[in-house]
Amino acid sequence: MEWLLNIIHYVVPFLILLGVLVFVHEFGHFIIARWAGVSVSAFSIGFGKELWSKTDKKGTVWKISAIPLGGYCQFLGDADESSSTSEVDLSKYSEEEQRHLFATQSPYKKLAIAVAGPLFNYLFAFITFFGLFYFVGSYDIPPVVSDVIKDSPAQSAGIIKNDKILEINGKKINDWSDINKEISIAIDTVSLKIERNGQYLTIDVPLVEMEYAFDETEKPIKRRMIGIKGETKQFKVVKDNFQLIPSIKKAAEEVYNITDMTLRGVGQMIMGERSGEDVGGIIRIAEMSGDISKTRGALDFLYFMALLSINLGLINLFPIPVLDGGHVVIYLLEIVSRREINTKLRDGLFKIGLGFILFLMVFATWNDIRHLLTRWFD
């Protein structure tokens, strides 16, 4: 019976999470393509064998496929479902069809279609955050230490209950979520500016990997932390937060802060300041979504979904061939140069990009497996 509960807590939330985010991303490409006059041959959630399909009035095949690890929006004239960059044989299409091929569009329209996917991920995150703040309330927790974990670096450094954290590594702290963000991207040590009984202190605390669980229902796992706790981990209903403009502002700030945190973390990995072990993939996402659905509430799950939506949108904007960002760079070059990039050169770049993405996927999966083994058997 336990295996059935694990499916409910881990597999089902993961499929819902990934399905929603993939749909949002691909729908961005789809809706802007339709607006630009490009015919969409297929819209799929998942890859591989078709499990369900329906064709709409404009000829788009909407389908759900067997491998739920992504999806695609295939345009008329694409060589395959991955939107291959191979040159299109126009002789296969009528004059009317040629007007609706992706390949025959101006670079401006191609650019808009490429950018739309990541932008819709950002839009989804913004709307989700706004909905949480406006209709539910705030999840703000004052940056005041409610407890210090025994034998932790924070206790050794002299941090005590009721210390108010003002800054971490020079970054201003407004609420407890800022503490989590700054500690998550710190390297080895964090410098805390603290207010205690009207006095201001600066304390350096090393980051240490410790076993920790939010509550007795969660299995302890290793996390890098300094060993302090805030008031609560879940959303709180605060009726005076039900205001339109403040909720819009707070949602925009949340989107910005998560983007900033992600870029800083990636930059640290590129510079060699952060270990590649932090790179996670599909398995890690499934694990985290399952943990949240199992031990927390729907609001935390929605927040996690919005956070991942931002990461999906941002990563797709990286200027790597095959990703949307790689397409964006090519279309910008074509706009500036007023000529199409050589097809062989473009295809070669995309093959290199595909190889790099496959390498990252294998590397991330290896990290995920090691993480799971450590969690299960350590």
Side-chain angles (χ1 to χ4, degrees):
M1 196 66 182
E2 185 177 351
W3 65 270
L4 182 59
L5 291 176
N6 283 332
I7 289 177
I8 295 173
H9 288 305
Y10 286 89
V11 177
V12 173
F14 169 68
L15 292 178
I16 293 173
L17 175 76
L18 202 60
V20 170
L21 296 187
V22 169
F23 177 84
V24 167
H25 182 90
E26 298 302 333
F27 188 75
H29 293 310
F30 168 82
I31 199 68
I32 299 302
R34 279 275 181 93
W35 168 81
V38 176
S39 294
V40 182
S41 302
F43 185 108
S44 178
I45 303 299
F47 299 102
K49 185 178 179 181
E50 182 181 301
L51 300 179
W52 171 90
S53 69
K54 183 175 182 179
T55 304
D56 65 21
K57 295 179 180 180
K58 293 191 176 182
T60 301
V61 180
W62 296 79
K63 55 186 177 180
I64 297 176
S65 301
I67 305 174
L69 303 181
Y72 59 88
C73 184
Q74 184 176 0
F75 305 121
L76 182 65
D78 285 347
D80 52 43
E81 60 190 31
S82 64
S83 296
S84 170
T85 59
S86 299
E87 194 170 359
V88 177
D89 183 1
L90 297 180
S91 64
K92 294 181 179 180
Y93 303 95
S94 67
E95 290 187 9
E96 176 62 23
E97 288 176 328
Q98 288 180 25
R99 285 197 290 269
H100 300 287
L101 293 173
F102 179 81
T104 60
Q105 306 305 310
S106 71
Y108 293 99
K109 287 186 177 181
K110 291 179 180 179
L111 177 63
I113 293 169
V115 169
L119 289 187
F120 266 60
N121 281 124
Y122 266 84
L123 180 62
F124 172 80
F126 174 81
I127 292 173
T128 301
F129 287 142
F130 169 77
L132 289 172
F133 300 146
Y134 186 74
F135 295 106
V136 180
S138 173
Y139 72 104
D140 289 350
I141 303 169
V144 177
V145 177
S146 66
D147 194 14
V148 180
I149 298 174
K150 185 179 179 180
D151 299 326
S152 67
Q155 186 183 58
S156 301
I159 295 177
I160 61 175
K161 183 178 180 179
N162 294 325
D163 279 350
K164 183 177 182 181
I165 300 176
L166 305 177
E167 293 181 3
I168 294 182
N169 292 338
K171 296 289 184 177
K172 184 179 179 181
I173 301 300
N174 297 309
D175 56 58
W176 196 267
S177 65
D178 292 335
I179 297 175
N180 291 333
K181 292 170 188 173
E182 293 304 323
I183 289 179
S184 71
I185 60 173
I187 306 301
D188 298 312
T189 303
V190 292
S191 179
L192 307 181
K193 183 177 180 180
I194 291 173
E195 181 182 353
R196 179 188 298 169
N197 299 324
Q199 295 183 326
Y200 298 94
L201 308 172
T202 298
I203 301 177
D204 293 333
V205 186
L207 272 172
V208 175
E209 194 173 66
M210 302 172 57
E211 281 198 346
Y212 180 74
F214 285 106
D215 53 47
E216 63 278 359
T217 65
E218 183 182 54
K219 183 179 179 180
I221 63 174
K222 288 185 177 180
R223 295 181 172 91
R224 294 172 70 248
M225 59 177 66
I226 61 174
I228 57 176
K229 296 181 181 180
E231 179 184 336
T232 181
K233 66 178 177 60
Q234 293 182 324
F235 279 80
K236 299 186 299 178
V237 175
V238 183
K239 292 184 178 179
D240 59 5
N241 271 32
F242 295 359
Q243 300 174 24
L244 181 63
I245 300 303
S247 296
I248 291 175
K249 181 181 177 182
K250 188 165 183 59
E253 290 175 348
E254 198 69 14
V255 170
Y256 173 82
N257 289 334
I258 292 172
T259 301
D260 177 62
M261 179 182 69
T262 304
L263 286 175
R264 287 163 64 184
V266 171
Q268 289 169 353
M269 288 188 204
I270 293 173
M271 299 301 294
E273 298 173 347
R274 177 180 291 274
S275 170
E277 292 181 0
D278 290 339
V279 177
I282 291 295
I283 297 175
R284 188 81 59 91
I285 293 172
E287 178 192 6
M288 294 175 69
S289 62
D291 287 343
I292 291 172
S293 69
K294 190 174 182 179
T295 62
R296 308 192 208 176
L299 298 179
D300 290 292
F301 186 79
L302 279 174
Y303 180 89
F304 180 62
M305 185 182 291
L307 185 151
L308 277 185
S309 189
I310 291 173
N311 278 270
L312 177 61
L314 181 61
I315 290 171
N316 266 279
L317 285 174
F318 287 173
I320 300 173
V322 175
L323 297 182
D324 293 325
H327 288 278
V328 167
V329 171
I330 287 175
Y331 302 143
L332 287 174
L333 288 174
E334 289 181 348
I335 290 172
V336 172
S337 65
R338 298 184 180 181
R339 64 175 66 181
E340 287 191 359
I341 300 297
N342 180 273
T343 302
K344 290 185 178 180
L345 173 62
R346 185 172 54 188
D347 287 353
L349 290 174
F350 277 21
K351 288 177 181 177
I352 293 172
L354 179 60
F356 179 68
I357 294 299
L358 290 174
F359 167 76
L360 282 182
M361 290 175 64
V362 172
F363 181 67
T365 301
W366 170 245
N367 280 346
D368 291 350
I369 293 172
R370 289 177 58 193
H371 175 77
L372 279 181
L373 291 175
T374 300
R375 177 175 179 175
W376 289 342
F377 302 111
D378 193 2

